[in-house]
């Protein structure tokens, strides 16, 4: 009779830092434009829930992302709780400058492990995108502003299909060496499964310290939590998620979006892993934004919650 | 899972469920050495047998009564996907589960593909005889790791239910009909809250001991997380070979796939079983009952 290997859990981290991307990645992919006041209230509620990092907005041209047109007002309008970081996306130097002017203390830049995706998304090659990032990173360093790097398509690309772990390593290593303190590895279209996640992380961990890695799993094929569990078993301790599972998938109409923060917290709590997040307050924030968006929450925990 | 009442009126509050399932400490297993680690992480079974429960567990929890011919067409389509086990229906009284009132017609009406098995639920001897008369060649019985759930669900204690199942299993053995055993509430109960792994082991062992060839351990209300799954399986696997175990995870709190991954990692041998509701719309008892 076989005994269950007590090491079947791997070495799970004792605490996990959750990077809440609902207000940016989540809302960015929602059809209905959310009023500025609602965005501000959402972020304030998320701060009250104890999330340590909340991605507030994106300093991108409203021509490309109308939902983020009010980026300056949002960043200026939110309450900045002590101990909580409010990074903002800055796709280019212009955005970076606007972000700094609006009070940003941390910014994020977006790379991709796919040439085609980079071309379609930001209209240049991966190499050219690095040159743009370099400008931002240099300026950020001079201004004492931390920079988080994202790598999209780490487990697959909507245009190229399969992405080799080697390519992910190359891009991640470059961003890290250029000065990003943390790299979030994103399964942008949610096609990854635990085995592929493991292979990709094994490769990346050889070149970039584990403590500098985060995972950002999309739930398009229902794999997000399982992939995240695999990443935790590999030693990753930073996970991106989105309240209420906000955000759809621009590449798969009707598909779900990000991993729901509530469902992630539920799992981590069950595993005895500390996050510092108050699930009840998080549920309230999710409920608030879903009402504002007039949509059902994509979080199973939110859906299951008894209103007694 | 099983013949669950369509409205679970006296479930726990969400706060209590959270309290029960916020494990303190534990769960971190200690450091693996690199050699162990790489083989352990790749230590997944080469083959997983999926037991498709959509036509029974799935439809049972759907509000809309599905016409018989649609059920038959549905099962026929599933048979063509390569699934090797499809749970067809439940020979339960139509008074309790109206959706399954057409059990005999469905059993007789489906095309039984070679190499595919079509178990049916038989909560008691009467159901068993009806099932056999309708052409069933495999049956399932449903136990629970919770006294309250057993009483509310099938109106008798766990001990009494075991007595009933023994009768069914005896008759089934006589006719060379394999019996699968289910254990509900393996990771939590809507009435009792927390369920000890020891209780799950006790009930599983009874069912296995009386002749069930496989025991499906069900997280009936989906409250489990990978940690509680691991603890429960560790306990059960001390008494029952892993080759005779299956998991049946509900997705009420979005944990199903992660819990299944954990179960697959739990030192399973060459083959393991996962119960898979083809259509997750109906979800679990808790979801349907709360109507939240």
């Amino acid at each position: 009779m076989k005994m269950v290997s007590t090491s079947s859990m791997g070495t799970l981290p004792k605490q996990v830092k959750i990077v809440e991307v609902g207000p940016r990645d989540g809302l960015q992919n929602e059809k209905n434009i959310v009023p500025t006041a609602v965005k501000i209230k959402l972020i304030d509620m998320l701060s009250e829930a104890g999330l340590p990092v909340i991605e507030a907005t994106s300093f991108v041209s409203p021509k490309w992302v109308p939902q983020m047109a009010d980026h300056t007002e949002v960043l200026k309008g939110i309450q900045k709780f002590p101990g909580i970081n409010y990074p903002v996306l800055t796709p280019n130097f212009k955005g970076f400058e606007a972000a700094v002017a609006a009070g940003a203390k941390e910014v994020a830049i977006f790379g991709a492990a796919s040439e085609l995706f980079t071309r379609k998304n930001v209209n240049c090659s991966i190499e050219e995108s690095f040159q743009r990032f370099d400008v931002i990173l240099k300026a950020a360093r001079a201004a004492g502003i931390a920079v988080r790097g994202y790598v999209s398509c780490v487990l697959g690309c909507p245009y190229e299909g399969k992405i080799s772990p080697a390519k992910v390593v190359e891009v991640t290593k470059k961003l890290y060496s250029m000065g990003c303190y943390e790299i979030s590895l994103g399964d942008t279209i949610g096609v990854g499964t635990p085995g592929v996640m493991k292979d990709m992380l094994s490769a990346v961990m050889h070149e970039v310290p584990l403590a500098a890695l985060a995972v950002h799993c999309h739930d398009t094929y229902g794999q997000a939590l399982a992939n995240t569990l695999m990443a935790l078993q590999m030693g990753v301790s930073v996970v991106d998620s989105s309240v209420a599972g906000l955000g759809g998938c621009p590449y798969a109409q009707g598909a779900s979006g990000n991993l729901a923060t509530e469902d992630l917290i539920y799992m981590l709590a069950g595993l005895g892993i500390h996050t510092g997040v108050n699930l009840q307050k998080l549920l309230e924030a999710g409920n608030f934004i879903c009402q504002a968006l007039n949509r059902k929450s994509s979080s199973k925990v939110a859906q299951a919650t008894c209103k007694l | 899972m099983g013949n669950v009442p369509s409205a679970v009126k006296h479930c726990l509050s969400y706060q209590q469920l959270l309290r029960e399932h916020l494990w303190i400490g534990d769960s971190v297993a200690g450091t693996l050495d690199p050699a162990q680690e790489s083989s352990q992480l790749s230590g997944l079974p080469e083959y997983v047998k999926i037991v498709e429960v959509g036509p029974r567990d799935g439809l049972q929890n759907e509000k809309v009564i599905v016409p018989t011919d649609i059920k038959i067409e549905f099962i026929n389509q599933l048979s063509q996907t390569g699934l090797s086990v499809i749970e067809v229906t439940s020979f339960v009284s139509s008074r309790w589960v109206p959706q399954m009132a057409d059990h005999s017609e469905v059993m007789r009406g489906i095309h039984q593909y070679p190499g595919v098995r079509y178990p049916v639920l038989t909560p008691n001897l009467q159901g068993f005889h009806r099932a056999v008369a309708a052409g069933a060649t495999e049956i399932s019985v449903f136990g629970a790791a919770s006294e309250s759930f057993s009483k509310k669900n099938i109106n008798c204690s766990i001990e009494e239910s075991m007595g009933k199942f023994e009768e069914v299993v005896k008759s089934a053995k006589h006719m060379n009909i394999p019996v699968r055993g289910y254990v509900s509430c393996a990771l939590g109960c809507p009435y009792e809250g927390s369920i000890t792994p020891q209780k799950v082991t006790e009930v599983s062992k009874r069912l296995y001991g009386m002749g069930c060839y496989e025991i499906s351990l069900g997280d009936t209300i989906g409250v489990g997380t990978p940690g509680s799954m691991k603890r429960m399986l560790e306990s059960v696997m001390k008494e029952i070979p892993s080759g005779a175990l299956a998991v049946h995870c509900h997705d009420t709190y979005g944990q199903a796939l992660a819990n299944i991954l954990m179960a697959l990692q739990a030192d399973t041998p060459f083959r393991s079983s996962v119960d898979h509701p083809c259509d997750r719309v109906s979800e679990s008892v808790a979801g349907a009952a709360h109507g939240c």
Side-chain angles (χ1 to χ4, degrees), chain A residues 211-226:
Chain A
L213 297 176
V215 290
H216 181 121
C217 298
H218 276 234
D219 205 38
T220 325
Y221 293 86
Q223 308 297 302
L225 201 63

Side-chain angles (χ1 to χ4, degrees), chain A residues 36-138:
Chain A
T36 307
V38 171
K39 285 184 183 124
I40 290 172
K41 173 135 193 231
L42 169 66
I43 295 168
D44 287 347
M45 287 179 84
L46 291 169
S47 294
E48 302 237 356
L51 286 152
V53 185
I54 304 167
E55 204 172 60
T57 187
S58 177
F59 281 78
V60 64
S61 161
K63 201 176 30 157
W64 300 121
V65 188
Q67 180 78 272
M68 301 284 127
D70 55 2
H71 41 62
T72 302
E73 295 91 321
V74 168
L75 190 56
K76 284 192 170 137
I78 58 172
Q79 271 185 65
K80 305 247 177 55
F81 283 56
I84 298 183
N85 291 347
Y86 301 94
V88 298
L89 240 69
T90 52
N92 50 39
F93 191 67
K94 189 166 145 190
F96 173 76
E97 284 182 313
V100 174
K105 299 276 186 293
E106 183 174 323
V107 300
I109 55 176
F110 254 81
S114 153
E115 277 293 349
L116 264 179
F117 188 88
T118 305
R119 281 203 189 276
K120 297 240 183 208
N121 217 26
V122 291
N123 219 15
C124 65
S125 70
I126 293 182
E127 190 53 46
E128 285 162 343
S129 73
F130 286 147
Q131 289 163 17
R132 293 185 191 177
F133 298 150
D134 206 36
V135 176
I136 297 174
L137 278 153
K138 281 202 170 78

Side-chain angles (χ1 to χ4, degrees), chain B residues 141-194:
Chain B
V141 294
F142 253 82
S146 153
E147 279 294 351
S148 312
F149 190 86
S150 192
K151 291 209 170 84
K152 298 244 182 196
N153 208 29
I154 52 175
N155 218 17
C156 61
S157 68
I158 294 180
E159 191 54 43
E160 287 164 340
S161 73
M162 291 296 137
K164 290 191 186 171
F165 300 149
E166 289 234 24
E167 289 181 339
V168 174
V169 174
K170 246 194 204 102
S171 302
K173 266 198 198 146
H174 243 50
M175 305 176 69
N176 274 329
I177 289 178
V179 184
R180 190 182 205 233
Y182 279 88
V183 179
S184 304
C185 301
L187 299 181
C189 169
Y191 309 103
E192 290 186 16
S194 213

Side-chain angles (χ1 to χ4, degrees), chain A residues 1-12 194 198 222-223 225-226 229-230 233-234 263 266-267 269-272 279-280 283 300-301 303-306 308, chain B residues 13-15 18 21-23 27-32 40-41 223 225-227 230 233-234 237-240 251-255 257-258 261-262 265 267 290 292:
Chain A
M1 215 159 285
K2 279 193 173 208
M3 299 297 285
V4 172
S5 157
T6 51
S7 56
S8 66
M9 300 275 276
T11 310
L12 290 176
K198 176 198 153 219
Q223 308 297 302
L225 201 63
L229 177 62
M230 177 58 76
Q233 290 175 331
M234 301 284 288
D263 300 357
Y266 187 92
M267 182 180 78
L271 286 166
L279 182 53
Q280 189 53 47
L283 284 163
K300 291 267 167 65
V301 171
Q303 289 170 38
T305 304
C306 252
L308 291 177
Chain B
S13 70
Y14 170 73
Q15 283 74 20
L18 267 191
H21 295 277
L22 281 173
W23 311 107
S27 80
V28 178
T31 322
L32 292 170
Q40 171 264 310
L41 283 169
V223 288
T225 49
K230 173 191 163 239
L233 284 176
E234 264 175 353
M237 278 166 141
K238 285 193 175 113
E239 306 283 346
I240 296 178
D251 204 37
T252 324
Y253 293 86
Q255 309 296 303
L257 203 63
L261 178 61
M262 179 57 69
Q265 290 175 331
D267 248 1
H290 295 177
C292 305

Side-chain angles (χ1 to χ4, degrees), chain B residues 76 79 107-108 110-118 134-137:
Chain B
N76 288 343
S79 292
M107 190 72 229
R108 290 197 179 106
I110 57 168
H111 181 75
Q112 294 198 37
Y113 284 67
V116 184
R117 288 151 57 191
Y118 300 95
T137 51

Side-chain angles (χ1 to χ4, degrees), chain B:
Chain B
M1 285 279 289
N3 304 323
V4 188
S6 57
V8 177
K9 289 189 167 57
H10 304 290
C11 64
L12 297 171
S13 70
Y14 170 73
Q15 283 74 20
Q16 186 168 351
L17 277 172
L18 267 191
R19 266 204 305 278
E20 301 282 10
H21 295 277
L22 281 173
W23 311 107
I24 312 289
D26 189 33
S27 80
V28 178
T31 322
L32 292 170
D33 74 54
Q36 251 184 310
E37 193 169 340
S38 60
S39 64
Q40 171 264 310
L41 283 169
S42 64
L44 294 173
E46 286 174 38
Y47 168 75
V48 170
K49 177 179 82 176
I50 294 183
V51 176
E52 174 56 50
V53 300
R56 201 277 309 165
D57 193 14
L59 291 186
Q60 190 168 289
N61 285 307
E62 291 288 338
K63 283 194 272 276
V64 175
I65 301 289
V66 176
T68 306
D69 57 350
I70 300 228
K71 285 184 184 127
I72 290 170
E73 172 62 20
F74 176 40
I75 293 165
N76 288 343
Q77 288 198 23
L78 288 171
S79 292
Q80 294 175 60
T81 62
L83 287 157
S84 58
V85 187
I86 303 168
E87 204 172 59
V88 170
T89 187
S90 177
F91 282 80
V92 64
S93 160
S94 54
R95 206 170 33 145
W96 299 121
V97 187
Q99 180 76 272
M100 300 283 125
D102 55 2
H103 42 62
S104 296
E105 293 91 324
V106 172
M107 190 72 229
R108 290 197 179 106
I110 57 168
H111 181 75
Q112 294 198 37
Y113 284 67
V116 184
R117 288 151 57 191
Y118 300 95
V120 298
L121 242 69
T122 54
N124 49 39
L125 212 48
Q126 191 183 62
F128 171 72
H129 289 308
R130 286 210 179 107
V132 172
T137 51
E138 182 172 329
I139 60 154
S140 311
V141 294
F142 253 82
S146 153
E147 279 294 351
S148 312
F149 190 86
S150 192
K151 291 209 170 84
K152 298 244 182 196
N153 208 29
I154 52 175
N155 218 17
C156 61
S157 68
I158 294 180
E159 191 54 43
E160 287 164 340
S161 73
M162 291 296 137
K164 290 191 186 171
F165 300 149
E166 289 234 24
E167 289 181 339
V168 174
V169 174
K170 246 194 204 102
S171 302
K173 266 198 198 146
H174 243 50
M175 305 176 69
N176 274 329
I177 289 178
V179 184
R180 190 182 205 233
Y182 279 88
V183 179
S184 304
C185 301
L187 299 181
C189 169
Y191 309 103
E192 290 186 16
S194 213
I195 295 292
T196 66
Q198 289 69 30
K199 192 69 191 177
V200 181
T201 303
E202 188 189 308
V203 177
S204 304
K205 209 172 155 186
R206 281 294 290 276
L207 289 171
Y208 186 66
M210 69 173 75
C212 293
Y213 75 91
E214 192 171 89
I215 312 294
S216 175
L217 304 163
D219 181 14
T220 307
I221 50 170
V223 288
T225 49
S228 58
M229 170 65 81
K230 173 191 163 239
R231 275 184 289 275
M232 184 274 293
L233 284 176
E234 264 175 353
S235 173
V236 176
M237 278 166 141
K238 285 193 175 113
E239 306 283 346
I240 296 178
S242 53
L245 294 176
V247 291
H248 181 123
C249 298
H250 277 237
D251 204 37
T252 324
Y253 293 86
Q255 309 296 303
L257 203 63
N259 290 344
I260 287 169
L261 178 61
M262 179 57 69
L264 293 175
Q265 290 175 331
D267 248 1
T268 46
F270 176 71
R271 187 200 76 168
S272 49
S273 267
V274 170
D275 289 3
H276 167 76
C278 158
D279 180 349
R280 290 261 171 86
V281 174
S282 66
E283 266 315 271
S284 71
V285 171
H290 295 177
C292 305

Side-chain angles (χ1 to χ4, degrees), chain A residues 14 23 29 40 128 138 155 182 192 233 256 262 286 292:
Chain A
K14 290 197 159 65
N29 283 306
I40 290 172
E128 285 162 343
K138 281 202 170 78
L155 302 182
E182 191 172 271
Q233 290 175 331
S256 57
E262 299 93 318

